[in-house]
């Protein structure tokens, strides 16, 4: 990226067509919203979450690190379910 782009970032305008046959799950999720702001915001959230998942910010979602479930199979009500709340923060 050039420094000129970083100094004066211009908004990106996207206009695209999505057919259900191309991506049924994405289409079904987006079609729940009427045309407009809510649908656009939902697409933004999905895109950003996808970017975070791709870069490995979400635990267990990196391609090079397999998800490691608890060996004991935590049961509802056990303390194992909440142990990760006190884990170190996720830094990108």
């Amino acid at each position: 990226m050039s420094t000129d782009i970083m100094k004066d970032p211009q908004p990106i305008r996207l206009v695209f067509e999505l057919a259900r046959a191309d991506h049924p799950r994405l289409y079904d999720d987006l079609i729940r919203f009427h045309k407009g702001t809510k649908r656009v915001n939902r697409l933004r959230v999905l895109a950003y979450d996808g970017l975070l998942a791709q870069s490995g910010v979400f635990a267990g979602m990196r391609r090079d690190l397999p998800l490691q479930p608890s060996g004991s199979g935590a049961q509802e009500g056990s303390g194992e379910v909440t142990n990760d709340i006190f884990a170190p923060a996720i830094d990108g």
Side-chain angles (χ1 to χ4, degrees):
M1 285 190 224
S2 71
T3 55
D4 293 336
I5 294 173
M6 299 308 257
K7 288 181 183 176
D8 188 24
Q10 298 294 317
I12 299 172
R13 180 173 173 82
L14 300 175
V15 178
F16 68 98
E17 183 174 307
L18 177 66
R20 189 174 192 283
D22 296 333
H23 299 283
R25 292 178 74 179
L26 179 60
Y27 180 91
D28 291 344
D29 189 82
L30 293 174
I31 200 69
R32 298 181 301 146
F33 304 99
H34 296 291
K35 292 179 185 177
T37 306
K38 288 185 179 182
R39 188 182 288 175
V40 170
N41 287 337
R42 178 63 178 158
L43 185 58
R44 283 184 183 132
V45 167
L46 293 172
Y48 190 68
D49 286 353
L51 181 64
L52 293 176
Q54 184 179 28
S55 63
V57 173
F58 294 134
M61 296 196 73
R62 291 186 60 167
R63 291 183 211 156
D64 57 339
L65 297 176
L67 180 62
Q68 297 182 7
S70 174
S72 62
Q75 298 295 317
E76 184 176 340
S78 76
E80 294 176 44
V81 174
T82 58
N83 284 346
D84 286 341
I85 290 175
F86 303 103
I90 299 173
D91 294 328

